[in-house]
Amino acid sequence: MHAVLPLVSYCNINCDIFSGSACEYGIRGNLEMTWLAAIPLLQFDLSALSGARILSGKLRMHVSGQECPRQVELSAITHPWQEDALLGFCAPGVPWGNGREWMTDFIHGLHHAPWCVGDVDWDTTTLWAEVPLSVQVLQALALRHGTGLALIDSMSKVWRGEENRCDKYFDTDGEWAPCLEIEYQPAGATVVPDVSDISITTQANLENFEDALAQVSFRCPGAPQPARFIVEYGQAGQALRQAYPGCVPLCDGRSGAYTAQLFGLKPDADYRVAIRVRALEGLSGGVEAAFHTAQAQP
């Protein structure tokens, strides 16, 4: 399904790191984007997509000036904010300091939220510019309805290719206002698939002869994005514990096999492992398998 979501509110944040000043301005008027100076914040209402599986999306903006950036960083804002609250010396979730300190804190905060880099496709005839957004950023917006996007001009080069650090302006009124275009599947339209084809191989730990290792391979074609695997294991008759996340593969929807690693197992012992998939649509049923670890090295 296709959705076009209009702009709800916005503001421009100006941070002049060279003069050491920081101020908010431009609640009404054009959006301004300047390399290392002006950062526009955009707010959209994605509440209608709560629980939906987002497939793809893009941000559309109408250029009102003569320049358009070639590349833009788009970051989800993880703290609720209101345009009329961004006055004087405050910012979304980050207190204002001098310009240089604030820019460092702000960029650090944004890059610890879901973000992506998009190449700008600018139609110089219609003056509409389109920037693709990652599914992770869009899903973060859908989960936090009161947040928005921060746009950072990540390159000093403009669309025509030359070096230019001047201001770039975008319209905000009426039919020229920014919007999100999103392709999605409604909530309930996607079933979280179960894991299948589990196979387990074990061996002695050559670095620690008192331990055994296990490699768990499985399949889960068509898993929705974003999603993650939950791998739990334990000795037979005992409670399961969750495997270390770094030993569990990322769920990327592949049709081939995934592989998880289990460490610190007792040699020559009976174990069981359970694997599930957690996605926005819910949690899949657990699939279990039993195995016997290898004997310790003499």
Side-chain angles (χ1 to χ4, degrees):
M1 298 184 69
H2 182 77
V4 178
L5 305 178
L7 183 69
V8 173
S9 61
Y10 72 96
C11 74
N12 293 310
I13 288 183
N14 186 346
C15 181
D16 188 345
I17 64 173
F18 303 104
S19 67
S21 64
C23 62
E24 184 277 332
Y25 69 100
I27 289 178
R28 293 180 176 84
N30 292 340
L31 291 174
E32 179 181 347
M33 189 187 308
T34 307
W35 187 69
L36 290 182
I39 300 175
L41 307 183
L42 309 179
Q43 194 171 55
F44 300 92
D45 183 7
L46 278 74
S47 58
L49 301 183
S50 179
R53 178 188 178 189
I54 295 179
L55 305 176
S56 63
K58 59 186 176 183
L59 172 67
R60 300 189 75 236
M61 299 185 297
H62 192 264
V63 179
S64 60
Q66 300 298 316
E67 310 290 354
C68 183
R70 289 191 58 132
Q71 193 177 78
V72 174
E73 293 183 25
L74 305 105
S75 176
I77 304 172
T78 57
H79 297 275
W81 61 277
Q82 294 179 345
E83 59 183 19
D84 57 0
L86 293 174
L87 299 173
F89 300 95
C90 61
V94 182
W96 290 88
N98 65 54
R100 190 179 303 275
E101 291 176 354
W102 177 83
M103 175 62 81
T104 301
D105 292 342
F106 188 65
I107 298 301
H108 177 80
L110 291 180
H111 282 188
H112 280 71
W115 68 287
C116 63
V117 177
D119 292 329
V120 180
D121 183 10
W122 186 30
D123 188 327
T124 55
T125 302
T126 65
L127 299 183
W128 279 101
E130 297 183 348
V131 189
L133 280 81
S134 71
V135 172
Q136 288 77 11
V137 169
L138 290 169
Q139 206 71 66
L141 295 180
L143 290 172
R144 303 181 179 93
H145 312 315
T147 60
L149 283 172
L151 276 60
I152 302 172
D153 182 3
S154 58
M155 299 177 65
S156 60
K157 293 183 178 180
V158 297
W159 191 80
R160 290 193 296 269
E162 68 271 20
E163 296 286 337
N164 193 328
R165 300 184 182 183
C166 69
D167 299 337
K168 294 89 176 175
Y169 294 98
F170 302 91
D171 293 313
T172 58
D173 295 329
E175 61 180 324
W176 309 117
C179 66
L180 288 179
E181 292 193 1
I182 297 177
E183 301 293 333
Y184 70 98
Q185 289 183 348
T190 303
V191 177
V192 182
D194 287 333
V195 173
S196 61
D197 300 333
I198 297 180
S199 63
I200 303 170
T201 58
T202 69
Q203 66 181 55
N205 187 347
L206 298 181
E207 296 181 358
N208 184 349
F209 296 147
E210 295 181 357
D211 289 346
L213 311 177
Q215 179 174 287
V216 183
S217 298
F218 56 92
R219 294 180 182 272
C220 188
Q225 301 296 308
R228 66 184 180 91
F229 294 117
I230 300 176
V231 178
E232 298 174 308
Y233 68 100
Q235 280 190 260
Q238 297 183 10
L240 299 180
R241 64 180 182 273
Q242 193 163 322
Y244 181 67
C247 300
V248 178
L250 296 175
C251 181
D252 55 14
R254 76 183 75 164
S255 57
Y258 295 91
T259 301
Q261 306 288 340
L262 304 180
F263 296 91
L265 307 179
K266 291 184 177 181
D268 196 19
D270 291 324
Y271 276 83
R272 60 192 181 100
V273 61
I275 306 174
R276 295 176 291 173
V277 184
R278 181 179 292 281
L280 292 174
E281 292 81 4
L283 188 65
S284 72
V287 177
E288 293 194 15
F291 63 98
H292 190 85
T293 54
Q295 293 184 352
Q297 287 285 349

